[in-house]
Amino acid sequence: MHVIEIDQFLKNKNEFPVLDTRSPGEYESGHMPGAINLPLFNNDQRAIIGTIYKEEGREKAIKAGLKLIGPKLVDFIEIAESLGSKKLLIHCWRGGMRSSSLAWLLELYGFDIHVLKGGYKSYRNYLLSFFDQPLKLKIVAGTTGSMKTRLLQEMEKNGAQIVDLEGLAHHQGSAFGSHMEEMQPTSEQFQNDILEKFLSFSLEQPIWLEDESFIIGKAHLIAPLYQLMQESPRFHIVVPKEQRLEVLVKGYGSLPKDKLIQSTHDIAKKLGKENCELAIGHIENGEMSQAASIILGYYDKAYGKGLNKKSKTIVREIPMSLKNLSEVAASLINVE
């Protein structure tokens, strides 16, 4: 059995299977992308063992744990065999008994086992320290409906390194964004997925992101990354309001009316009672463009206030439309 540091673990994780021995609940809260959950204990068993450890001591906890996992030993081996690799990477929460126990069993059977020193906790510490370093971030900014995500996707097709934060968060970043995507990941998983994306990049080249709030839906960004984004150069995309309305109606207009009305109610205080009632009336009548125009008024005002605070970071204002989106994407890729 080899105990390895997080740097070496990450270098190997895309080549060899990673086994996460934590409980299903721990795994669901956040895990390394691609890791396979092979828990020694289920959620209830983990709680029982933890209680015994605290109240009766380590030795009794170990005996109780062995009684629980004994019948599952063959299952662990067969699951490991099904992965098709003799070399396996294993971790638990802090590099303790759970990973060591499974490592002992699998190594006894003939696997080449590499255990993460410090466990998943060391991975999370690595995540935070990773974003404490200088990174060549470039930010695409623009009002709601400015096709920023489409622009980034076009840039990616042409070789740019981009991080689609809204895509990773499964949320479009507004009161209406939750209806467009599947269930959001936990903040912890969202952050792990962001790190995974960054680890695939060359840090010598620019990395492009969309300007975002610290919280996207219910998922929180990584604090040091968010701070870096606030200080990074911004390219302000300016799209005519008529086209932005067209984009929004096309993207959101087909959603069920009750969901659109609920989302409008959610921002009622910010819209004002009169505007909220007008917008809802337009939605009920199928007048989506008129409703979007009212709602856009609020978002444009809020965006303007936020952008003013970051005005010193704006290096260029770029007019864009559906016709020249590809040209803008090409020009941004070549920005120094």
Side-chain angles (χ1 to χ4, degrees):
M1 176 172 57
H2 310 279
V3 178
I4 61 176
E5 300 285 347
I6 182 62
D7 300 75
Q8 189 62 40
F9 196 93
L10 291 173
K11 287 179 182 177
N12 286 290
K13 72 177 284 293
N14 294 324
E15 186 176 355
F16 303 103
V18 175
L19 299 179
D20 183 337
T21 67
R22 297 175 302 149
S23 67
E26 291 171 291
Y27 179 87
E28 289 164 9
S29 292
H31 56 269
M32 294 188 201
I36 300 160
N37 192 205
L38 188 59
L40 261 66
F41 309 115
N42 63 32
N43 296 333
D44 292 336
Q45 290 170 340
R46 174 176 174 263
I48 291 169
I49 297 301
T51 300
I52 293 173
Y53 188 95
K54 290 178 182 177
E55 296 179 357
E56 301 182 51
R58 181 175 181 272
E59 292 180 351
K60 288 194 175 181
I62 290 174
K63 287 181 179 180
L66 288 172
K67 289 178 182 179
L68 290 173
I69 67 173
K72 299 189 286 185
L73 295 181
V74 173
D75 292 338
F76 292 150
I77 291 173
E78 290 179 347
I79 291 170
E81 283 183 315
S82 72
L83 301 176
S85 173
K86 276 296 182 181
K87 181 174 179 177
L88 300 173
L89 309 179
I90 295 179
H91 75 82
C92 58
W93 167 233
R94 285 184 294 193
M97 285 189 289
R98 286 183 286 180
S99 58
S100 297
S101 299
L102 187 61
W104 170 83
L105 171 67
L106 296 179
E107 188 167 64
L108 181 66
Y109 189 75
F111 287 96
D112 179 17
I113 303 299
H114 295 250
V115 177
L116 173 59
K117 183 179 180 180
Y120 179 75
K121 185 176 182 180
S122 71
Y123 169 77
R124 288 293 297 177
N125 289 335
Y126 177 90
L127 179 148
L128 295 174
S129 64
F130 180 91
F131 292 101
D132 275 332
Q133 66 180 312
L135 295 168
K136 295 182 178 180
L137 304 185
K138 294 186 185 298
I139 310 298
V140 171
T143 47
T144 302
S146 295
M147 301 180 287
K148 300 181 291 295
T149 299
R150 287 170 65 176
L151 176 62
L152 287 175
Q153 291 169 345
E154 188 68 23
M155 292 172 66
E156 186 174 36
K157 289 178 185 177
N158 290 285
Q161 300 185 140
I162 75 106
V163 181
D164 181 1
L165 293 172
E166 291 183 355
L168 294 177
H170 301 308
H171 197 283
Q172 300 302 305
S174 72
F176 299 82
S178 60
H179 302 312
M180 299 292 290
E181 295 280 0
E182 57 193 270
M183 184 180 296
Q184 283 198 269
T186 64
S187 291
E188 187 174 309
Q189 189 58 50
F190 174 48
Q191 294 166 5
N192 293 350
D193 293 339
I194 292 172
L195 174 63
E196 185 77 2
K197 191 70 176 176
F198 270 85
L199 290 176
S200 71
F201 292 150
S202 164
L203 300 187
E204 301 302 314
Q205 301 299 319
I207 298 170
W208 292 83
L209 307 95
E210 182 177 336
D211 205 4
E212 297 287 356
S213 301
F214 181 65
I215 303 175
I216 304 176
K218 296 181 179 180
H220 292 65
L221 276 169
I222 303 158
L225 170 60
Y226 180 71
Q227 187 57 44
L228 284 173
M229 290 172 64
Q230 304 319 295
E231 301 163 356
S232 297
R234 276 170 172 68
F235 297 81
H236 185 208
I237 307 301
V238 180
V239 177
K241 184 176 180 179
E242 295 74 20
Q243 283 204 6
R244 291 193 291 128
L245 286 172
E246 183 181 336
V247 168
L248 292 171
V249 170
K250 186 176 180 179
Y252 294 89
S254 60
L255 291 174
K257 287 183 180 180
D258 61 328
K259 291 188 175 182
L260 292 172
I261 290 171
Q262 181 57 55
S263 293
T264 305
H265 275 301
D266 290 343
I267 56 171
K269 289 183 179 180
K270 297 169 182 176
L271 278 176
K273 182 179 179 181
E274 184 177 345
N275 281 333
C276 181
E277 290 175 352
L278 280 172
I280 289 173
H282 286 307
I283 292 171
E284 290 173 336
N285 294 327
E287 299 161 347
M288 298 305 175
S289 184
Q290 293 93 321
S293 183
I294 293 170
I295 294 167
L296 203 57
Y298 153 66
Y299 280 111
D300 284 358
K301 184 177 180 181
Y303 171 79
K305 289 181 179 178
L307 192 64
N308 282 338
K309 296 177 182 178
K310 309 168 190 172
S311 58
K312 292 181 180 180
T313 66
I314 299 174
V315 296
R316 189 181 303 176
E317 190 171 278
I318 305 172
M320 191 176 80
S321 67
L322 286 168
K323 292 181 179 179
N324 74 341
L325 188 148
S326 295
E327 294 174 18
V328 171
S331 67
L332 286 177
I333 289 174
N334 296 316
V335 165
E336 293 296 331

